[in-house]
Amino acid sequence: MTYDQLMAVGTARLQDAGIVNARLESRWLLAHVSGCQHSELISRGPDKVAEQTISAFQERISRRADREPIQHILGTTEFYGLEFLSDARALIPRPDSEIVVEIALERISRERPVFIADLGTGSGCLLAALLANRPMAKGEGIEASEAAAALARENLMRLGLTDRSDVHPGSWASWQKWAEADLIISNPPYIASAEIEGLMPEVREHDPMSALDGGPDGLDAYREITELAARGMQPGAWLVFEIGFDQKQTVTALLKDAGFVEITCRKDLGGNDRAIAARRPIV
């Protein structure tokens, strides 16, 4: 079997499974198992494929057809220009979250040291992206899941950021540095419990439930974090949330009621409300 034939077989299998970008994902998986660059697959199209490569490719195509996320199969994914390990221990870093990084970067200085905290850090992608773009910053990820905390540490180490970062293994309620942070960022669980069953199988069956389920209305984490932040953050510090597409008004109201000011919302590339930034007022 040639590379072209093998990729055609993989594409057909993924199309039958309802994968939207079947050809692209088939190419990614073939490049992964063959050790080729994507461009090489074109020139090697008529070449015969080793049986070991065929077997490895078919195994990964089967996993993807069963709706395992391709990021888990490949083992890594890109976020904000950085490569992150990705597996079932934490949410997959997704492009929509890059706007949350953007709105946060706009609120922290390049010229002076700042301290950043990432509540529910998961893979560590938000914290790492901020630190990579603010060389004078230090940061801490707060993560209640031991497995996710371990993944965050692995990613921070791979990216050479361990000298400016730490991971606190515990809940944000038990964290003691609220008053030290210049900026607190969080992508908390925000899916309403009743909506979990309707999520895509890649999310519903492979992302940690604790990172998805936001309670009956999806707002449990926002209420808790906003209350803790209103009591504990230093005046002038920023709080940045990722939100669900329909949560702008409710999260904004929570922040206003807690006394936060300069509240701004930003849309993602799909045109959905995705990030909210708010400031604790300077007394």
Side-chain angles (χ1 to χ4, degrees):
M1 187 177 290
T2 67
Y3 282 89
D4 283 343
Q5 291 170 332
L6 187 59
M7 193 163 75
V9 170
T11 299
R13 177 77 187 280
L14 296 185
Q15 287 174 335
D16 289 344
I19 305 299
V20 175
N21 297 313
R23 182 170 177 79
L24 178 60
E25 294 197 14
S26 181
R27 183 183 297 116
W28 284 342
L29 292 171
L30 184 52
H32 177 67
V33 299
S34 65
C36 293
Q37 298 294 322
H38 290 200
S39 57
E40 286 183 75
L41 292 178
I42 298 173
S43 61
R44 297 181 67 173
D47 297 347
K48 289 188 176 181
V49 187
E51 287 298 323
Q52 183 177 351
T53 301
I54 293 174
S55 178
F57 177 72
Q58 290 174 334
E59 185 266 341
R60 285 158 177 79
I61 286 288
S62 293
R63 289 166 61 187
R64 185 66 186 108
D66 288 338
R67 306 304 290 268
E68 182 177 349
I70 191 165
Q71 296 90 340
H72 291 183
I73 300 171
L74 297 175
T76 61
T77 192
E78 184 178 315
F79 178 81
Y80 215 79
L82 305 170
E83 186 180 75
F84 290 86
L85 297 175
S86 181
D87 57 38
R89 289 177 286 177
L91 288 179
I92 297 167
R94 292 180 169 89
D96 285 345
S97 299
E98 293 189 354
I99 197 63
V100 187
V101 175
E102 290 284 355
I103 201 171
L105 286 173
E106 292 169 5
R107 284 156 177 80
I108 49 178
S109 174
R110 293 177 179 271
E111 281 74 41
R112 65 178 181 84
V114 293
F115 177 58
I116 300 162
D118 179 12
L119 307 183
T121 195
S123 67
C125 66
L126 297 180
L127 178 61
L130 292 174
L131 294 178
N133 285 275
R134 292 293 183 269
M136 297 185 71
K138 293 185 178 181
E140 187 165 334
I142 295 84
E143 180 52 65
S145 163
E146 292 183 7
L151 178 60
R153 290 189 189 97
E154 291 170 27
N155 277 320
L156 291 165
M157 181 176 293
R158 279 168 53 93
L159 294 167
L161 296 170
T162 52
D163 61 329
R164 294 191 285 124
S165 66
D166 194 11
V167 178
H168 171 78
S171 69
W172 47 62
S174 67
W175 183 59
Q176 299 297 311
K177 299 181 183 178
W178 289 87
E180 299 178 29
D182 298 286
L183 180 139
I184 292 176
I185 193 169
S186 184
N187 177 14
Y190 58 70
I191 308 298
S193 302
E195 297 175 4
I196 300 291
E197 188 59 32
L199 296 174
M200 294 176 61
E202 287 90 341
V203 177
R204 183 183 66 244
E205 297 173 10
H206 295 277
D207 279 334
M209 192 57 59
S210 61
L212 297 174
D213 194 340
D217 62 358
L219 298 171
D220 282 1
Y222 296 108
R223 292 190 184 94
E224 183 179 13
I225 292 172
T226 300
E227 181 181 345
L228 291 166
R231 291 203 312 259
M233 287 181 73
Q234 62 175 306
W238 288 94
L239 179 61
V240 175
F241 283 131
E242 177 165 337
I243 60 170
F245 72 95
D246 58 351
Q247 294 176 324
K248 174 184 175 180
Q249 291 184 341
T250 49
V251 175
T252 296
L254 286 172
L255 291 165
K256 285 183 177 178
D257 290 345
F260 283 86
V261 296
E262 299 179 50
I263 301 171
T264 303
C265 184
R266 191 74 55 83
K267 296 181 183 294
D268 60 26
L269 293 176
N272 296 310
D273 293 323
R274 186 60 59 193
I276 284 185
R279 197 174 196 183
R280 184 143 191 240
I282 299 173
V283 179

